[in-house]
């Protein structure tokens, strides 16, 4: 099955071409069949296709929170943290990946309380702040998901290069085609069903992999003490703050998280699902991340070698029998399908919401298919995966809080312009901090690009991720106060947001009273109209 002899090179043993083709394409065919079967229920129902509101029980939702949190990229980024920041860094990354789920358990019910028909953050923005900010955030959400797809495809491209002699482009394109077919057919409901089953398979495969590694890799105590990576480090402590802020805020822009939040049957199920999802994500990311220190202790990877720390996991795989490489190939293919179909359904929702639900679902399907082309092209250029994530996370940290403040009634004086100024203020705050900290304008404002990456010896990255959200809040409230002061001087009425149902409450009450005799037929008529509308949109 393997071409190499297991000498320890990160590029060997490779799964032979026939075995690689069989493993990859059989896995994809199974997921295609599963996705089409799952999508049969939702392919003609716009509600299930885009929203799947209140359709998932606790355990299915827990598995879906796991699916939206992981991808094949965990085999690169997590072990790399372990080789740099040691065990502390691994736990920091695992904590930061899992704890943001609790934010959705808190914010999700607030969205539902604000409007029980809510199904995404961008829909809330449209109602609370209006069309200008809605357009901006919908575009950012779409770009975010696109960056996630680029990172995932870049990762799986690299995995196919490492483990097989195949041209990675062909299976990478096939993965996009397969996931596009069943997500375009069944939408978010099909993604939810396939992700739950895929995650069960992933659990089994990771447990097998852990057992195999535990049986075959035995670093001595002397090796562990010599290499280190056990004691707490300053960088590991900083990563607890940096990564938690980065991942928490960026998750807010991922429609996949919101789709799963509103797919919960009720708030209680959502809380339990995030609790179980937290432990699933934490355990799996910790197990994968420990491959970094383990590779260093066992001698399959060394900081003095030409092999980067991001390939530490694969150096362990290379030291084992060929069938382990095959198992890894199936595992990474499954993870990639999970991540990509989630991104595609998130893109469906973002684009449909951007068009204010006024276009046919088929138009949205066609646009998503077309957008796969530039995503694949960018992935082939092999960008720095961590750098892509960092830039997206910093942008999210600088722009998300002004929107979330709109959930609180006491802050209904915040206008969409205040929120927009806050977003730009968060970005400006990062540049201003960089200039003050680094001592010159050029290097200070280049901090916005995070040129030095995540693993720097000073506190510039920590400061950037702390000042970004803080600056957005300060700028928002400062401009709101300035605007209200000018409005008062001009003698004009102050802005105060009032929900539409509140303004129409009196007229709706009167209408209900006057039509109480025909309420039953009215309800039936509306239900029939909504059902016909859903069918028409899908046609």
């Amino acid at each position: 099955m393997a071409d190499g002899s297991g000498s320890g090179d990160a590029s060997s043993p490779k799964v032979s071409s026939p075995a690689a083709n069989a493993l990859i394409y059989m896995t994809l065919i199974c997921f295609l069949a599963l996705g089409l079967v799952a999508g049969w229920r939702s392919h003609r129902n716009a509600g299930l296709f885009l929203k799947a509101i209140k359709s998932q029980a606790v355990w299915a939702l827990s598995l879906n929170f796991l699916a939206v949190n992981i991808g094949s990229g965990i085999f690169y980024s997590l072990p790399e943290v372990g080789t740099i920041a040691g065990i502390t860094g691994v736990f920091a990354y695992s904590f930061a990946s899992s704890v943001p789920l609790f934010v959705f358990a808190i914010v999700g019910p607030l969205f539902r309380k604000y409007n029980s028909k809510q199904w995404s953050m961008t829909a809330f923005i449209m109602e609370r702040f209006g069309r200008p900010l809605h357009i901006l955030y919908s575009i950012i959400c779409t770009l975010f998901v696109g960056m996630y797809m680029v990172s995932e495809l870049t990762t799986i491209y690299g995995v196919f290069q490492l483990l097989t002699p195949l041209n990675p482009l062909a299976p990478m394109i096939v993965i996009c085609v397969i996931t596009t077919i069943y997500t375009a057919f069944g939408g978010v409901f099909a993604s939810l069903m396939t992700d739950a089953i895929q995650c069960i398979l992933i659990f089994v495969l990771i447990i097998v992999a852990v057992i195999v590694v535990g049986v075959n890799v035995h670093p001595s105590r002397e090796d562990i003490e010599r290499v280190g990576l056990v004691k707490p480090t300053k960088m590991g402590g900083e990563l607890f703050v940096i990564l938690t802020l980065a991942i928490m805020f960026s998750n807010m822009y991922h429609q996949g998280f919101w789709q799963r939040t509103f797919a919960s049957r009720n708030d209680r199920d959502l809380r339990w699902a995030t609790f179980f999802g937290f432990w699933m994500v934490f355990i799996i990311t910790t197990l994968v991340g420990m491959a970094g220190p383990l590779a260093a202790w066992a001698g399959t990877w060394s900081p003095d070698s030409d092999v980067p720390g991001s390939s530490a996991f694969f150096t362990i795989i290379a030291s084992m029998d060929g069938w382990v490489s095959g198992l890894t190939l199936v595992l990474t293919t499954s993870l990639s399908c999970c991540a990509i179909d989630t991104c595609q359904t998130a893109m469906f929702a973002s684009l449909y919401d951007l068009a204010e639900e006024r276009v046919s679902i088929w138009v949205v399907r066609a646009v998503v298919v077309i957008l796969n082309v530039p995503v694949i092209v960018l992935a082939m250029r092999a960008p720095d995966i961590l750098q892509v994530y960092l830039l997206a996370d910093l942008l999210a940290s600088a722009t998300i809080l002004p929107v979330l403040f709109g959930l609180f009634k006491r802050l209904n004086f915040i206008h969409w312009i205040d929120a927009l100024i806050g977003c730009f203020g968060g970005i400006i705050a990062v540049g201003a901090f960089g200039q003050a900290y680094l001592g010159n304008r050029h290097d200070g404002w280049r901090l916005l690009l995070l040129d030095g990456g995540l693993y720097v010896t000073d506190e510039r990255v920590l400061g950037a991720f702390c000042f970004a959200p803080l600056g957005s809040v300060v700028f928002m409230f400062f401009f709101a106060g300035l605007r209200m002061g000018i409005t008062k001087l001009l003698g004009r009425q102050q802005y105060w947001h009032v929900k539409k149902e509140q303004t129409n409450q009196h007229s709706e009450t009167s209408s209900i009273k006057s039509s109480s005799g025909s309420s039953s037929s009215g309800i039936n008529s509306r239900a029939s109209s909504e059902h016909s509308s859903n069918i028409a949109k899908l046609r």
Side-chain angles (χ1 to χ4, degrees), residues 63 66 196-212 284 287 323 327 330-331 334:
L63 291 168
L66 170 63
I197 296 174
Q198 285 165 346
C199 280
I200 293 173
L201 173 63
I202 290 166
F203 253 121
V204 173
L205 293 176
I206 286 182
I207 289 172
V208 173
V210 168
I211 293 173
V212 171
I284 285 183
L287 290 174
W323 70 269
L327 177 70
V330 174
L331 178 58
S334 303

Side-chain angles (χ1 to χ4, degrees), residues 268-383:
R268 180 180 176 275
D269 282 3
L270 176 60
R271 286 190 292 269
W272 279 111
T274 54
F275 175 77
F276 293 128
F278 165 84
W279 286 109
M280 290 179 185
V281 175
F282 185 82
I283 291 170
I284 285 183
T285 51
T286 300
L287 290 174
V288 174
M290 284 303 298
L294 186 62
W297 298 334
T300 62
W301 175 86
S302 169
D304 300 326
S305 68
D306 296 331
V307 180
S310 57
S311 297
F313 171 84
F314 296 99
T315 64
I316 296 178
I317 299 301
S319 67
M320 298 183 184
D321 295 334
W323 70 269
V324 181
S325 295
L327 177 70
T328 305
L329 193 60
V330 174
L331 178 58
T332 51
T333 302
S334 303
L335 283 166
S336 195
C337 282
C338 266
I340 292 172
D341 71 27
T342 299
C343 288
Q344 287 173 334
T345 54
M347 197 174 287
F348 280 130
S350 296
L351 293 173
Y352 192 60
D353 201 30
L354 178 61
E356 295 188 82
E357 306 182 32
R358 294 178 180 176
V359 298
S360 168
I361 296 296
W362 285 104
V363 174
V364 179
R365 285 167 167 157
V367 172
V368 172
V369 170
I370 293 171
L371 288 177
N372 274 279
V373 177
V375 166
I376 293 173
V377 172
L378 287 174
M380 288 174 59
R381 298 191 176 185

Side-chain angles (χ1 to χ4, degrees), residues 4 24 63 93 182 196 210 213 220 366 379 445 467 477 522:
I24 293 171
L63 291 168
Y93 208 139
Y182 70 74
V210 168
V213 171
S220 65
W445 287 89
F467 273 88
F477 280 115

Side-chain angles (χ1 to χ4, degrees), residues 79-102:
E80 182 180 27
V81 172
T83 62
I84 297 172
I87 293 178
T88 310
V90 173
F91 278 103
Y93 208 139
S94 300
F95 176 84
S97 298
S98 51
V99 80
L101 287 177
F102 291 124

Side-chain angles (χ1 to χ4, degrees), residues 510-529:
S510 301
S511 175
I512 291 172
K513 288 180 179 179
S514 64
S515 60
S516 58
S518 58
S519 60
S520 177
S521 61
I523 292 171
N524 292 334
S525 175
R526 283 194 297 273
S528 176
S529 176

